[in-house]
Amino acid sequence: MKKINLYLLMGLLAFASCSDDDNDIVTPPDGGSDGVENNVVFNEIRYQGTDLIEILNLGNQEADLSDYWLCLGPGTYERIGDLTPESGSTVVPAGEYLVLSYNLSDSEGGLGLYSSNEFTNAEAIVDFVQYGAGDSTRENVAVAAGIWTAGEFVPVVSDANNSIIFDGEGNTAADWAETTTVTFGEENMLTMPNNDVRSVVINEVNYGEDKLIELWNNGTVAVDLSSYWLCLGPGQYVQIQNANVTSGSVNLGVGEFLVINWDELSNSEGLGLYSTNTFTSAEAIVDFVQWGAAGSARENVAVEAGIWTAGEFVPEVRLPSYSISYDGEGDRSTDWGEVVNPTFGQGNATTANLRAFSITIKNTINFLNVHTFTTPEGAASPGPLTTNGSQYKVSFKAVPGTKFTPVTMMGNSNDWFLAPTDLNGIDLFPNGQALNRVDIADQLSLYDLGTEADGDPSTFPPAGANVGPADPDPLVRLVPGRDTGDIYVTAVLDYTNGDGNSAGTFTLTITAINVPDAAMPASQDNGFVVTPGIVVLHAQPEPLFTIGQEDRGVGLEGIAEDGMPGALYDWFTETGSQGTPLRLSSSLTPFSPAFIYAFNTETDPWFTQGDAAKAASGLEEIAEDGNRMVAYNYLKDFGIPVALPAEDGPIQPGQSFTFTIQVPEGQDYKLGFGTMFVKSNDWFVSTNNVGLTLFNDDGSPFSGTEVSSNTYLYDAGTEAEEPVGFGANQVMNQGADNTGAADANTTIRRVSELDDVQFGKGGISSSPGVTWSGDPRGGYNLIEIDIQAQ
């Protein structure tokens, strides 16, 4: 405790009976002021050890300070005339000093010099200085007087023997400085204290995936850490000069970071930084942090050193890519917290830049099956229908939602063909009812493919395949002046119901009713020769051609010019390197409302192939019932980016979900998503467990669709399977959510084989379960992911 000067004590006793109201005015004993305006300032102050205040007369005449006052705040004031000077006189000559003893706070205070005891009056305050902290009691008075700046303060001295001195001009905290040369009663001399602080702390730790430790020099001098050690416990230590440094230098400069990879890090550890390898010595331990549990091997050493509290630990991170980081002060577990986006090599307050991505998830299901008709009924070999009443018959399976496009050539033309007038195709189940005993010939029109010049009988099909000259107009177009196909053929669809576990069967019978008159020359106006053709079952419009565009070059020319559907059939049925279709979709299904997320872990936090669905992850809800919100909230609670699309409801073939997501740069984020394969019990489409690329190896943002090859069809392992689209416990057929028998195999696995009971393609084997039509392996051909950096 500081000793109080005897005269100061007497002064305090003398004023003990005064009012505590700072606005009370005490009249000087001599009856009033002499009218002289003094120019006096605080010049030097020591507030630790022996407290002293030096006042300097900057005026050109002596200043009588007897009736001036010192004030620290309400109840803490003294009249200068009642104090005994340590040096000088209360009548201070020009350029001279008055030194007083006055009891000051060691840590913070705001000291005012007043010409009267009107301590709230800005006209009475003469000078002011504030140290240690802002917002002292009389700061507002000094600010109103224009002699101080709100919130400013002189930093606390580094040594009790030092003082703070005024530089002779200005009214801000910057006009004061700490000095080691104390000169009360003399001219100020500034000698800066040596405030070198040797301090290195553990600043950030990732113990899950990257196994990184960041050390931070938060002192004022560089520190060579070569001889320092890291220790997790007996037998688990490494000297920093032998450690795997990933960034920074072991000669750690002020404010710099050293990042070390140490594979021994794991859950529930206590990490110590030591100046020597005396790991049980409280003198050697420099810093310490403990996570996951208390009681690690070196906790007691850190507690003895006063740098940790017994029994405390930082909670474990929620995902292994996350780190724990230090807040910069203190030695408690509460001074540490989880970081979603680690900042190794940077300050812990560094905020990652965000990159926006537009994500489009499209249901690309289209071509569902293809069938040819080549041999007339009763004939032994393929050929055209050359007599009225001759027929082609073709049977195929289909389910509601299927569109149907039959194509046959007008054999007495160069490149004309019959196809649906509606380029969306013919709906096989209008209003939910199958077309049965319905002639669809009036829904067909005659088109010119634009591949061969018209009107030359010598180049009609009997002349040979692809023999005519090119059409000067290469665009697909309707043949003008022609009615619908019912003047050339009948095309009757008959339907037979399925067995409840598979689709019903349609039979298309095409009958020639307008064959050419043999007595007339062959021409495009002499009847209609019906040739072999093809039936395409599809989900999206314009499966074979687009009016006003050129032929796509995939085989329709073979039908339109020569009545040969083989090339087009082969294009549709081509298989990839895994022996699965390149173009035929496995099934006709909508996708449930989807969600997306981005993660910076090495593997997907939502699910793991080969494991059962994680509790509360929402995987079962989305895979069985199309409910995405449980999964969305589960991942959102990890603090990672998640997003919902702009669209509502399920997504049908040809439609898409669109998302916008903001993703931190420099954190190796990948994209994940989830949507239900609706015509199933518990199948869903998602990525492989490493996610889809969002950033290239050089850190630049990725854009494109080719990452769609890493999307797969999964069985969630939560409900027993039923035939695709026909199960009573599938979401579109069941009476309530979460119905159906449990799956005997509870592991999440890729769907490696699918039995197509919707279109009769039979078993489709795809060991990778790939879902993108652009994948050269072939697969289920369901989905496309388009990532576009913004």
Side-chain angles (χ1 to χ4, degrees):
M1 179 179 292
K2 296 181 181 175
K3 296 181 179 179
I4 300 176
N5 182 283
L6 178 60
Y7 294 101
L8 176 59
L9 180 60
M10 292 174 63
L12 292 173
L13 292 173
F15 279 90
S17 61
C18 293
S19 170
D20 288 337
D21 184 351
D22 292 335
N23 289 315
D24 288 350
I25 300 174
V26 179
T27 304
D30 62 2
S33 171
D34 60 8
V36 175
E37 292 188 7
N38 297 321
N39 184 9
V40 290
V41 296
F42 291 129
N43 195 52
E44 185 171 4
I45 295 174
R46 183 169 63 193
Y47 51 85
Q48 295 183 2
T50 302
D51 297 350
L52 295 174
I53 297 170
E54 178 184 80
I55 300 172
L56 169 64
N57 183 354
L58 291 175
N60 56 11
Q61 59 186 358
E62 68 179 20
D64 185 353
L65 303 185
S66 301
D67 292 320
Y68 278 54
W69 294 75
L70 299 172
C71 179
L72 288 166
T76 55
Y77 43 78
E78 286 290 342
R79 177 175 171 269
I80 289 177
D82 295 327
L83 300 176
T84 300
E86 295 292 321
S87 67
S89 167
T90 56
V91 179
V92 185
E96 294 298 324
Y97 308 90
L98 169 63
V99 180
L100 301 170
S101 175
Y102 190 69
N103 192 19
L104 299 168
S105 167
D106 285 357
S107 58
E108 61 183 68
L111 177 64
L113 176 62
Y114 288 80
S115 61
S116 73
N117 67 338
E118 297 179 88
F119 301 124
T120 61
N121 185 354
E123 294 184 359
I125 194 168
V126 174
D127 201 13
F128 180 82
V129 65
Q130 182 170 244
Y131 60 90
D135 200 30
S136 62
T137 305
R138 299 303 180 210
E139 179 192 89
N140 65 316
V141 183
V143 171
I147 61 173
W148 198 255
T149 301
E152 287 192 352
F153 59 91
V154 184
V156 174
V157 293
S158 59
D159 190 284
N161 294 317
N162 297 343
S163 64
I164 58 173
I165 58 174
F166 178 53
D167 67 7
E169 57 183 57
N171 291 302
T172 69
D175 296 304
W176 288 81
E178 179 182 0
T179 184
T180 61
T181 303
V182 177
T183 59
F184 287 101
E186 302 175 11
E187 183 178 353
N188 289 343
M189 180 177 296
L190 178 61
T191 52
M192 300 295 291
N194 182 359
N195 291 325
D196 289 346
V197 177
R198 184 183 179 91
S199 177
V200 176
V201 296
I202 302 169
N203 197 50
E204 188 169 3
V205 180
N206 172 275
Y207 52 84
E209 286 184 349
D210 296 328
K211 313 289 188 181
L212 296 177
I213 301 166
E214 179 184 79
L215 303 178
W216 173 37
N217 184 342
N218 66 343
T220 61
V221 293
V223 179
D224 185 352
L225 296 179
S226 300
S227 61
Y228 280 52
W229 294 75
L230 294 168
C231 179
L232 290 167
Q236 291 180 286
Y237 43 79
V238 63
Q239 193 169 28
I240 289 179
Q241 65 182 353
N242 299 320
N244 180 19
V245 173
T246 63
S247 69
S249 170
V250 295
N251 188 15
L252 195 58
V254 175
E256 293 182 351
F257 304 93
L258 174 65
V259 181
I260 293 170
N261 166 243
W262 197 21
D263 288 339
E264 301 233 7
L265 295 174
S266 63
N267 295 342
S268 301
E269 298 271 20
L271 175 65
L273 174 65
Y274 287 80
S275 59
T276 71
N277 62 346
T278 312
F279 301 125
T280 60
S281 169
E283 298 294 325
I285 195 168
V286 175
D287 200 15
F288 179 82
V289 63
Q290 180 172 251
W291 59 85
S296 62
R298 301 305 181 206
E299 179 192 278
N300 64 315
V301 183
V303 171
E304 181 184 351
I307 59 174
W308 199 255
T309 301
E312 289 192 352
F313 59 91
V314 185
E316 283 195 356
V317 294
R318 292 168 294 169
L319 290 178
S321 59
Y322 296 176
S323 66
I324 57 172
S325 71
Y326 178 50
D327 67 6
E329 56 183 56
D331 293 302
R332 304 290 300 270
S333 63
T334 53
D335 296 308
W336 288 78
E338 179 185 80
V339 176
V340 174
N341 298 305
T343 58
F344 289 99
Q346 306 174 81
N348 290 345
T350 303
T351 302
N353 294 325
L354 296 179
R355 169 68 66 170
F357 289 89
S358 174
I359 310 294
T360 302
I361 299 180
K362 185 176 182 181
N363 183 335
T364 57
I365 292 170
N366 193 9
F367 306 126
L368 299 163
N369 209 348
V370 59
H371 302 268
T372 60
F373 49 89
T374 60
T375 303
E377 288 291 292
S381 60
L385 302 182
T386 57
T387 61
N388 287 332
S390 56
Q391 296 179 329
Y392 292 118
K393 284 191 176 183
V394 59
S395 295
F396 52 88
K397 292 182 177 293
V399 295
T402 307
K403 302 299 187 295
F404 159 67
T405 293
V407 178
T408 182
M409 179 193 184
M410 180 180 180
N412 50 318
S413 74
N414 291 93
D415 59 352
W416 292 0
F417 62 96
L418 274 181
T421 306
D422 185 348
L423 297 184
N424 291 320
I426 297 170
D427 188 351
L428 288 172
F429 291 86
N431 301 315
Q433 298 298 313
L435 293 177
N436 188 22
R437 300 178 182 176
V438 175
D439 186 351
I440 53 91
D442 62 351
Q443 298 183 52
L444 306 176
S445 292
L446 192 61
Y447 295 89
D448 186 331
L449 189 62
T451 56
E452 190 172 301
D454 297 325
D456 180 9
S458 67
T459 56
F460 288 173
N466 197 26
V467 296
D471 194 325
D473 180 356
L475 304 182
V476 181
R477 56 205 183 265
L478 282 166
V479 177
R482 299 286 177 152
D483 292 326
T484 54
D486 54 341
I487 66 172
Y488 308 118
V489 297
T490 63
V492 178
L493 280 169
D494 293 293
Y495 178 72
T496 303
N497 287 324
D499 61 5
N501 291 311
S502 63
T505 301
F506 289 91
T507 298
L508 173 65
T509 302
I510 300 175
T511 304
I513 60 173
N514 192 359
V515 299
D517 184 345
M520 297 177 62
S523 77
Q524 294 170 167
D525 298 314
N526 181 13
F528 191 105
V529 177
V530 184
T531 69
I534 200 164
V535 168
V536 180
L537 304 177
H538 57 98
Q540 297 185 44
E542 302 180 347
L544 297 176
F545 62 92
T546 301
I547 295 290
Q549 295 184 12
E550 294 187 19
D551 175 50
R552 297 172 186 172
V554 298
L556 181 58
E557 181 179 3
I559 297 176
E561 290 186 9
D562 305 307
M564 299 173 63
L568 185 57
Y569 179 86
D570 290 345
W571 182 82
F572 275 118
T573 56
E574 183 181 0
T575 57
S577 60
Q578 296 281 347
T580 45
L582 284 174
R583 299 179 183 92
L584 293 181
S585 295
S586 66
S587 314
L588 178 59
T589 182
F591 298 146
S592 70
F595 76 106
I596 67 170
Y597 52 98
F599 59 94
N600 58 359
T601 48
E602 291 177 357
T603 60
D604 196 317
W606 188 34
F607 72 96
T608 302
Q609 297 178 57
D611 291 352
K614 299 173 185 176
S617 69
L619 183 65
E620 180 177 2
E621 285 81 356
I622 200 168
E624 288 188 13
D625 303 308
N627 175 8
R628 65 189 170 187
M629 293 312 299
V630 178
Y632 171 84
N633 288 318
Y634 172 79
L635 290 168
K636 183 179 181 181
D637 287 345
F638 284 118
I640 61 177
V642 291
L644 297 175
E647 298 79 11
D648 293 324
I651 183 167
Q652 301 293 339
Q655 297 178 342
S656 60
F657 296 114
T658 54
F659 303 80
T660 298
I661 193 167
Q662 299 271 352
V663 179
E665 295 180 327
Q667 296 290 329
D668 193 28
Y669 271 93
K670 285 81 64 175
L671 180 70
F673 74 93
T675 183
M676 181 189 184
F677 180 99
V678 170
K679 296 286 188 175
S680 73
N681 291 81
D682 62 346
W683 291 355
F684 66 101
V685 182
S686 190
T687 76
N688 59 14
N689 274 161
V690 298
L692 303 182
T693 299
L694 287 174
F695 296 95
N696 299 309
D697 291 342
D698 63 1
S700 61
F702 169 83
S703 291
T705 60
E706 57 266 33
V707 292
S708 302
S709 60
N710 290 327
T711 62
Y712 302 92
L713 181 61
Y714 290 95
D715 186 328
T718 59
E719 189 171 307
E721 302 310 320
E722 297 170 316
V724 174
F726 289 92
N729 296 301
Q730 292 171 1
V731 65
M732 297 185 74
N733 302 327
Q734 66 190 7
D737 288 352
N738 196 29
T739 60
D743 196 330
N745 181 355
T746 61
T747 61
I748 301 167
R749 67 263 187 200
R750 295 183 186 175
V751 177
S752 59
E753 185 171 0
L754 182 155
D755 185 13
D756 175 25
V757 296
Q758 293 179 312
F759 298 95
K761 295 190 293 292
I764 300 173
S765 297
S766 175
S767 54
V770 66
T771 60
W772 184 44
S773 60
D775 195 307
R777 293 172 291 181
Y780 298 132
N781 302 328
L782 304 173
I783 203 166
E784 179 180 85
I785 311 296
D786 187 3
I787 299 173
Q788 293 297 322
Q790 302 300 293

